[in-house]
């Protein structure tokens, strides 16, 4: 497989302009002749569907939720970055680009990241025009806050509900296009396979989750915007329905999967409270603007009430270890530091897996009212879950799986290795390298959806002559048959274990061996166990009911079956990457003071894995990463 | 904790439903309400019985997927809380809990506790947006918005579209949902050009979907997990009246 990144030549600040001019256009009259399928209705999918419909394409948009407004982008709390420099604090497109490449630990593609930074300013304009109620200053202009990994204030926000407000803006634009007839929306419909004809993506096979009907939707191009795969860990901050099925099915049809081991463990989540736990709740990183992270200096103090531990006996470990970024250190670094102090036995709360996030100083400095205005809804959320009042006692937090930087490999046009299959948002791998900075996921989703995919799709359609396809073609029939067979197989096992029990077991395994710290020994162990667990699943899972009805166990079973395969690829990738970078921390590769140690000479590449059949190991393809603008250096936040 | 549940079971949209009794054993007060249902469902599957179907996704009160009547109250006993954020510490050992789907003619039951809320999408599609095609806007700071207006718009925009307002309303009205969107967009300068048209169309669509009329019981704001105020309904009514008046004037003048 040849990986052509197709990043345009020339100076970095001219690449996107040059490319936009060189791309083929489809005339307005011809656009309506093309049909594009979009899978997912979050920021990337919803924005792409709405924008392509505005341009004149016929769009079919699919989501598994009962409404496109419920896509998991809605849960993003803290904010969205943009290089507006409204604060006059030295920000620029170049600085956002630099911060993102460095924050990603030099494992992302410079050309894509620069474009993301350029487009970031248009996103804010677009969202304001749509009526997104961003926070404002008394003068009526937009407010900003700081986020991890940056020394400027470039994050725009709508209380602690930024994702919700951006998604609703996008959803409203989508519904506007639905009412005009440009988009047909298919809610409660799940993509179960990709249709590939003559080497091109030409549609998808879906299951209507209410009637159980399996059908095909043909198209001239397909956009996957189905989100990330953190739920491979069972416990994550993702919504319960978030899954990898769409991208995994595409992988098995020939799309390369890039850097599957790059997962982000978010430092500030509410700790696990018991075995019944079904998901983990994030506390926005924005809290680290005013909250101070600490644990007791001595193990013996861990059982004491936090208010009884004097300042002198507290270890504000982020401020101590990283004086210039302090509590705003990037996520991977903050997460690992929390794990370290807990491993030393200095963790707090049940099971000793927690650190304090303390607002006492901020409340003294700014007053309770100001803190309530900034974080009120997050404090309420915390209190509901833990029954503790964070205005009076410090929050307890611990890292949890949150985001996956890995995803389907795409070129500069966001097209995968299958022509016609574009991948947007968290589902692709492109912009965050080995670690994503806070408030950059919303930026990337909207950048891909509003400003990139709608144009690059035009280039694909304008420069390729597509042959007509029919639902009666053998490829379509075969793909549908495979989906039916798999569904029937899941229902026919009639074993003894619930789907959830398998998912929990896989999650524990992945958290243990492919979580915050990874070792060759642990990964090998995981690789020995996963195939056995998968085998047991296919022989002993119990899915009741039929395929011809709303069947939530069946939906879950299909997703867990895919996670059981993806988990293996993640471990293979993590084992092969003999270095530490960003969220991928191999215990064998660290600096004397415990920081991630990259090996650029060997590993400055994208690992794009190619499916080679169920009985064969996947094939590794490498896209070398070239850094012409941001010189490779060891990341330092000290 | 041990609890007795009475849950509405209905195999499909056209099937007859009824209440079934279940025992929920060894429930921790730290569990969320949905985690309690997970435990019941696991034991149902283990004993070969179909699990209870219910909508849920983010489990942190923002996606609006979940929602059920708990002892006759939409989202249960805690104010400003979606079902997924409700924790079992709100109940006592030995309690009996009745769980039913949203009650509304416009939200037909699909299965058990799952209802069809697509009417809400159609209300938004009828006018709940600002027409701003991608790429056309000016710089964001060229449109100053007074902080008070932005804050008030945000209060209304916090709606998660769960449908509790409809389920709680004795008339089955969707006024709070519709008014929240009309208020959010109507309070912002960007929303002015389409303000009247938006109100007329969204109200018409709300009626066409079979929702009841608002007689200001106020049950909706009590049930709303985001505590959206019925002040928004006053805004909607005002916008609707002004729009109707202007339409009328246009007809009269236009006819001359």
């Amino acid at each position: 497989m040849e990986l052509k990144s197709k990043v345009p030549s020339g100076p970095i600040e001219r690449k996107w302009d040059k490319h936009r001019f060189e791309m083929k256009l489809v005339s307005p009259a011809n656009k309506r002749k093309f049909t594009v399928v979009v899978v997912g209705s979050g920021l990337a999918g919803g924005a792409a569907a709405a924008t392509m419909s505005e341009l004149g394409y016929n769009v079919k948009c699919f989501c598994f939720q009962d409404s496109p407004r419920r896509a998991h982008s809605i849960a993003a709390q803290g904010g969205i970055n943009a290089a507006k420099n409204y604060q006059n604090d030295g920000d620029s497109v170049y600085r956002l680009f630099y911060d993102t490449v460095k924050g990603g630990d030099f494992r992302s593609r410079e050309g894509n990241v620069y474009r993301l930074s350029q487009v970031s300013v248009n996103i804010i304009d677009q969202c304001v025009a749509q009526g997104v109620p961003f926070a404002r200053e008394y003068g009526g202009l937009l407010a900003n806050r700081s986020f991890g990994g940056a020394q400027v204030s470039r994050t725009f926000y709508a209380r602690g509900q930024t994702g919700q407000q951006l998604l609703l803006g996008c959803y409203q634009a989508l519904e506007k296009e639905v009412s005009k007839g440009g988009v047909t929306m298919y809610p409660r419909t799940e993509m179960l396979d990709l249709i590939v004809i003559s080497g091109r993506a030409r549609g998808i096979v879906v299951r209507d989750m209410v009637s159980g009907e399996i059908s095909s939707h043909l198209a001239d191009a397909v956009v996957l915007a189905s989100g990330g795969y953190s739920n491979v860990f069972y416990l994550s901050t993702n919504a319960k329905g978030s899954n990898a099925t769409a991208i995994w099915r595409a992988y098995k049809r020939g799309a390369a999967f890039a850097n599957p081991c790059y997962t982000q463990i978010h430092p500030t989540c509410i700790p696990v409270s018991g075995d019944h736990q079904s998901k983990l709740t994030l506390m926005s990183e924005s809290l680290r603007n005013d909250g101070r992270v600490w644990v007791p200096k001595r193990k013996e103090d861990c059982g004491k009430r936090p208010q009884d531990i004097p300042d002198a006996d507290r270890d504000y470990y982020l401020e101590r270890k990283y004086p210039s970024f302090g509590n705003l250190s990037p996520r991977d670094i903050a997460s690992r530091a929390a794990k370290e102090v807990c491993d030393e036995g200095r963790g707090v709360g049940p099971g000793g897996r927690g650190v304090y996030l303390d607002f006492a100083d901020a409340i003294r400095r700014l007053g309770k009212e100001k803190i309530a205005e900034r974080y009120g809804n997050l404090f309420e959320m915390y209190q509901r879950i833990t029954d503790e009042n964070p205005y009076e006692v410090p929050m307890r937090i611990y890292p949890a799986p949150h985001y996956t930087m890995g995803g389907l490999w795409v070129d500069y046009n966001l097209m995968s290795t299958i022509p016609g299959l574009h991948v947007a948002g968290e589902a692709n791998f492109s912009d965050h390298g080995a670690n994503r900075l806070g408030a950059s996921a919303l930026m990337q989703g909207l950048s891909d959806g509003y400003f990139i995919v709608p144009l690059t799709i035009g280039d694909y359609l304008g420069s390729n002559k597509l042959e007509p396809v029919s639902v009666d073609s053998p490829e379509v029939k075969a793909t549908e048959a495979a989906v039916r067979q798999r569904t029937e197989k899941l229902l026919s096992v009639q074993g003894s274990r619930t789907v959830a029990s398998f998912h929990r077991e896989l999650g524990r395994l992945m958290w243990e061996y492919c979580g915050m710290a990874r070792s060759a020994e642990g990964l090998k162990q995981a690789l020995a166990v996963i195939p056995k667990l998968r085998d047991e699943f296919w022989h002993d899972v119990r899915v009741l009911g039929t395929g011809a009805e709303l069947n939530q166990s069946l939906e879950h079973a299909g997703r867990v079956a895919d996670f059981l395969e993806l988990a293996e690829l993640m471990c293979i990738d993590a084992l092969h990457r003999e270095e530490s970078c960003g969220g991928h921390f191999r215990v064998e590769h660290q600096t004397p003071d415990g920081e991630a140690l990259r090996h650029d000479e060997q590993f400055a590449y994208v690992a794009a894995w190619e499916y080679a059949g169920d009985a064969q190991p996947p094939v590794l393809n490498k896209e070398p990463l070239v850094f012409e603008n941001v010189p490779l250096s060891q990341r330092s936040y000290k | 904790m041990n609890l007795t549940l009475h849950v509405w079971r209905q195999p499909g949209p056209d099937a007859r439903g009824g209440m079934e009794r279940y025992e929920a054993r060894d429930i921790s007060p730290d569990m969320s309400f949905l985690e309690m249902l997970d435990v019941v469902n696991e034991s149902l599957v283990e004993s070969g019985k179909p699990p209870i179907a219910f909508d849920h996704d983010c489990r942190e009160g923002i996606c609006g997927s979940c929602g059920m009547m708990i002892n006759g109250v939409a989202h249960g006993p805690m104010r400003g809380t979606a079902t997924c954020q409700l924790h079992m510490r709100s109940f006592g050992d030995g309690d009996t809990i009745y769980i039913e789907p949203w009650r509304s003619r416009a939200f037909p039951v699909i299965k058990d506790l799952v209802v069809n809320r697509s009417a809400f999408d159609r209300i938004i599609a009828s006018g709940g947006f600002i027409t701003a095609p991608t790429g056309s806007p000016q710089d964001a700071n060229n449109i100053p918005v007074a902080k008070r207006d932005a804050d008030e718009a945000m209060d209304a925009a916090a709606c998660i579209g769960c449908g509790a307002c409809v389920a709680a309303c004795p008339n089955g009205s969707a006024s709070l949902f519709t008014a929240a969107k009309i208020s959010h967009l109507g309070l912002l300068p960007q929303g002015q050009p389409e303000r009247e048209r938006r109100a007329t169309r969204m109200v018409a669509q709300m009626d066409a979907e079979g929702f009841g009329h608002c007689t200001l019981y106020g049950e909706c704001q009590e049930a709303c997990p985001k505590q959206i105020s019925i002040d928004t309904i006053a805004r909607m009514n005002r916008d609707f009246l002004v729009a109707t008046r202007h339409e009328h004037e246009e007809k009269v003048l236009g006819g001359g």
Side-chain angles (χ1 to χ4, degrees), chain A residues 51 54 64-70 74-75 77 84 86 124-126 128-131 133 136-138 140-142 158-159 161 164-165 168 171-172 175-176 179 188 210 239-241 273 276-279 281 373 381 384-387 450-451 498 500 504 542 544 549-550 552-553, chain B residues 28 30-31 35 38 42 45-46 48-49 51 53-60 62-65 80-81 85 87 89 110-111 114-115 117 121 124-125 128-135 137-141 143-145 147 150-151 154-155 157-161 177 181 184 188 190:
Chain A
T51 303
E54 283 165 5
F64 70 79
Q65 298 90 344
D66 72 321
S67 163
R69 68 179 290 150
R70 308 206 198 282
I74 202 148
Q77 298 170 355
K84 282 287 197 186
Y86 283 161
I124 302 304
D125 300 342
Q126 178 63 25
V128 165
Q130 286 172 341
R136 286 177 184 268
E137 306 292 355
Y138 282 101
L141 303 183
L142 290 157
R159 296 194 188 145
Q161 292 137 273
Q164 180 201 24
Q165 292 310 313
L168 292 181
Y171 157 74
Q172 287 159 205
E175 290 297 339
K176 162 176 71 75
S179 74
R188 290 195 195 275
V210 175
K240 292 293 285 177
S273 74
H276 55 267
Q277 193 97 27
S278 64
K279 79 151 287 173
T281 302
E373 188 188 312
M381 193 192 272
R384 268 199 207 97
I385 292 172
T386 61
D387 209 19
Y450 281 134
F451 296 105
T498 63
R504 268 195 294 270
R542 174 179 289 188
L544 300 174
E549 60 178 332
L550 178 75
Q552 293 174 322
S553 308
Chain B
S28 151
D30 289 331
M31 283 183 190
E35 284 169 345
D38 289 343
E42 288 271 287
V45 173
E46 275 160 12
K49 296 189 187 119
F54 60 91
D55 268 326
H56 65 100
D57 204 19
C58 76
R59 296 203 176 193
E60 49 191 66
I62 196 74
C63 76
S65 296
T81 303
Q85 296 172 290
H87 279 66
R89 63 180 81 95
I110 293 173
K111 184 178 184 175
V114 177
V115 299
R117 287 170 290 196
D121 289 333
I124 298 296
F129 48 77
I130 291 169
T131 304
T134 306
Q138 55 184 324
D139 185 90
N141 259 351
I143 318 168
V145 181
K147 187 172 186 306
D151 286 347
M154 181 61 219
D155 289 340
C159 170
I160 57 173
F177 169 80
K181 190 47 63 192
H184 158 211
L188 297 173
Q190 307 90 298

Side-chain angles (χ1 to χ4, degrees), chain A residues 619-630:
Chain A
V619 177
L620 174 62
N621 300 275
K622 298 175 184 177
E623 180 202 334
L625 291 169
V626 184
F627 295 89
E628 291 169 342
N629 296 277
V630 186

